[in-house]
Amino acid sequence: MAAPGPTRSRADLVRHMDRSRRLRRGRRLRQEHGAAAMLMECPARVAAASTATSMALRISIVVPLRAWNDEARRCVERMCRLLRPGDECILVPDGFPLVADLPAPCRLVPLATHGGPAVARNAGARVAGGDVLFFVDADVLLAANAVEIVRAQFSQSAISAVFGSYDDAPSAPGAVSRFRNLLHHFQHQSHAGPVRSFWTGCGAIRRSVFEALGGFSVRYDRPAMEDVELGARLARAGGEVRLEPTLLCTHLKRWTLRSMIVTDIRDRAIPWSRLIYADGDSVAVMNADRRGRVALALTAVLGACLVLGLLWPLCWLVAAAAFLMLLLWQRSFLALLRRCGGWRLLAAGSLLLPVHLASGAIGFGYVTAEVALRRIRDACHAGRR
């Protein structure tokens, strides 16, 4: 009887499996590159291959609904007109009965009780039959080419997810609404390309990737950062997310000064800051890049000097200088306001911009104090043991 061979350790097996995966991946890439080189010799073949793949890709639009109103009806009707045969639109009424005549591609997945957008989107994704889950808010009008852009992005590349932005023509009147919607447009358009984030206002992800990640975190019971948190997990898992600047939608939401401040603090700055402290570099950097950090610092100086000026009036000169530097630093965004809304919107935006940034600073300061107190408490508890 032959002597038994040496037993492989677990580490050896892991190394062997990793090496096998690398070899298989190398062979696959060589095959793909070879095929791509052949196709590039003939543009007609490239177009035919892309069209064939695109036609086979099915898209499921998932829309959480908090209410059924004229805006939601307009948005759903627009979505359904853009779908091909085989695509579908899944509506998830979040805790209310929906009785309405809906277009044929629509499916209803009602929730008996209100669970929030994360729960609603997960419920819609569970019954989706498409290869791609296209999450869309109920207050946006998709551009005429939006669905085909999504289809082409996944057909022609190996990305895991893609999202777009609001366009530069928000429909809601008023300076606050136009400022807030154009600010979102500018932030997204300024970070086109690979990102470590996601956005469910107009964002799509491969269904297999979404299921592997376990869907959206249900700890968010209101619209907050559940999409950004999903993007952070996807980045940690090595997935590629692309911000596509041509993927556009029109935002119908009307903003007031109060709703802007509350949303910026409660639903943006606080949950975003918690993600930054929890996940570090895996979190999206669109609002925390160099431009954003400098603007936040200038806003902090502006606010502090306005308060200190009550005791030392010379501080108001520093506040004025900080305000002018802030406007200069954000001149590209202010130029967008001028182009889209004229001098009146530019003047209003120059005043609203520090308010927006101050809201972010308040939220970040709140979370920083929260984290510091928790660390002090943990250190005290550790010292007693």
Side-chain angles (χ1 to χ4, degrees), residues 95-237:
F96 72 95
L98 175 56
V99 180
D101 293 330
L102 300 174
C106 287
R107 299 171 57 190
L108 279 182
V109 183
L111 298 182
T113 59
H114 173 63
V119 172
R121 291 188 180 103
N122 286 343
R126 278 194 294 270
V127 303
D131 307 292
V132 172
L133 302 174
F134 188 6
F135 296 104
V136 182
D137 283 343
D139 61 353
V140 300
L141 292 174
L142 292 178
N145 60 352
V147 173
E148 294 311 310
I149 288 176
V150 168
R151 203 186 308 271
Q153 286 288 317
F154 287 101
S155 300
Q156 300 170 9
S157 68
I159 60 172
S160 299
V162 64
F163 64 94
S165 77
Y166 297 141
D167 61 22
D168 61 358
S171 66
V176 178
S177 294
R178 301 192 71 187
F179 165 82
R180 194 62 182 80
N181 291 327
L182 287 171
L183 177 65
H184 186 283
H185 167 82
F186 178 80
Q187 288 172 337
H188 278 219
Q189 292 289 313
S190 300
H191 294 85
V195 292
R196 299 193 301 271
S197 185
F198 190 58
W199 180 51
T200 50
C202 179
I205 184 172
R206 295 186 190 274
R207 181 160 62 92
S208 57
V209 173
F210 183 82
E211 292 173 349
L213 290 171
F216 294 103
S217 172
V218 296
R219 74 172 182 261
Y220 297 98
D221 59 353
R222 55 174 294 105
M225 305 300 293
E226 69 278 358
D227 45 4
V228 175
E229 191 273 340
L230 179 75
R233 278 190 282 134
L234 180 54
R236 288 198 301 271

Side-chain angles (χ1 to χ4, degrees), residues 55-357:
M55 287 294 290
L57 197 67
R58 296 175 301 158
I59 293 179
S60 296
I61 296 181
V62 180
V63 186
L65 294 172
R66 192 65 187 96
W68 183 250
N69 50 32
D70 288 341
E71 287 184 355
R73 178 184 53 77
R74 288 176 58 198
C75 296
V76 170
E77 289 176 352
R78 169 70 66 86
M79 297 171 200
C80 292
R81 288 198 297 268
L82 303 180
L83 296 178
R84 292 183 183 179
D87 297 338
E88 61 182 351
C89 179
I90 300 173
L91 306 181
V92 188
D94 191 3
F96 72 95
L98 175 56
V99 180
D101 293 330
L102 300 174
C106 287
R107 299 171 57 190
L108 279 182
V109 183
L111 298 182
T113 59
H114 173 63
V119 172
R121 291 188 180 103
N122 286 343
R126 278 194 294 270
V127 303
D131 307 292
V132 172
L133 302 174
F134 188 6
F135 296 104
V136 182
D137 283 343
D139 61 353
V140 300
L141 292 174
L142 292 178
N145 60 352
V147 173
E148 294 311 310
I149 288 176
V150 168
R151 203 186 308 271
Q153 286 288 317
F154 287 101
S155 300
Q156 300 170 9
S157 68
I159 60 172
S160 299
V162 64
F163 64 94
S165 77
Y166 297 141
D167 61 22
D168 61 358
S171 66
V176 178
S177 294
R178 301 192 71 187
F179 165 82
R180 194 62 182 80
N181 291 327
L182 287 171
L183 177 65
H184 186 283
H185 167 82
F186 178 80
Q187 288 172 337
H188 278 219
Q189 292 289 313
S190 300
H191 294 85
V195 292
R196 299 193 301 271
S197 185
F198 190 58
W199 180 51
T200 50
C202 179
I205 184 172
R206 295 186 190 274
R207 181 160 62 92
S208 57
V209 173
F210 183 82
E211 292 173 349
L213 290 171
F216 294 103
S217 172
V218 296
R219 74 172 182 261
Y220 297 98
D221 59 353
R222 55 174 294 105
M225 305 300 293
E226 69 278 358
D227 45 4
V228 175
E229 191 273 340
L230 179 75
R233 278 190 282 134
L234 180 54
R236 288 198 301 271
E240 180 184 353
V241 185
R242 175 170 292 277
L243 200 166
E244 174 53 51
T246 63
L247 178 56
L248 298 172
C249 58
T250 301
H251 199 201
L252 305 181
K253 182 174 180 176
R254 291 173 173 82
W255 291 88
T256 64
L257 182 60
R258 181 182 180 278
S259 67
M260 185 187 84
I261 293 173
V262 170
T263 299
D264 284 343
I265 296 175
R266 181 188 63 190
D267 298 334
R268 298 293 181 269
I270 290 179
W272 202 309
S273 300
R274 285 172 178 161
L275 273 178
I276 289 175
Y277 276 109
D279 297 323
D281 291 339
S282 295
V283 180
V285 295
M286 286 191 293
N287 288 2
D289 59 359
R290 181 170 174 265
R291 181 192 291 123
R293 291 194 299 269
V294 172
L296 208 61
L298 290 171
T299 304
V301 172
L302 170 60
C305 290
L306 285 176
V307 175
L308 292 175
L310 298 173
L311 299 176
W312 299 287
L314 285 178
C315 289
W316 286 335
L317 294 177
V318 180
F323 178 66
L324 292 175
M325 291 177 64
L326 175 63
L327 298 183
L328 181 63
W329 186 252
Q330 295 286 337
R331 60 188 179 277
S332 53
F333 169 61
L334 295 176
L336 173 67
L337 296 182
R338 168 70 179 85
R339 177 171 61 82
C340 295
W343 290 104
R344 183 174 297 180
L345 184 59
L346 173 62
S350 299
L351 299 176
L352 289 170
L353 183 60
V355 175
H356 163 72
L357 293 169

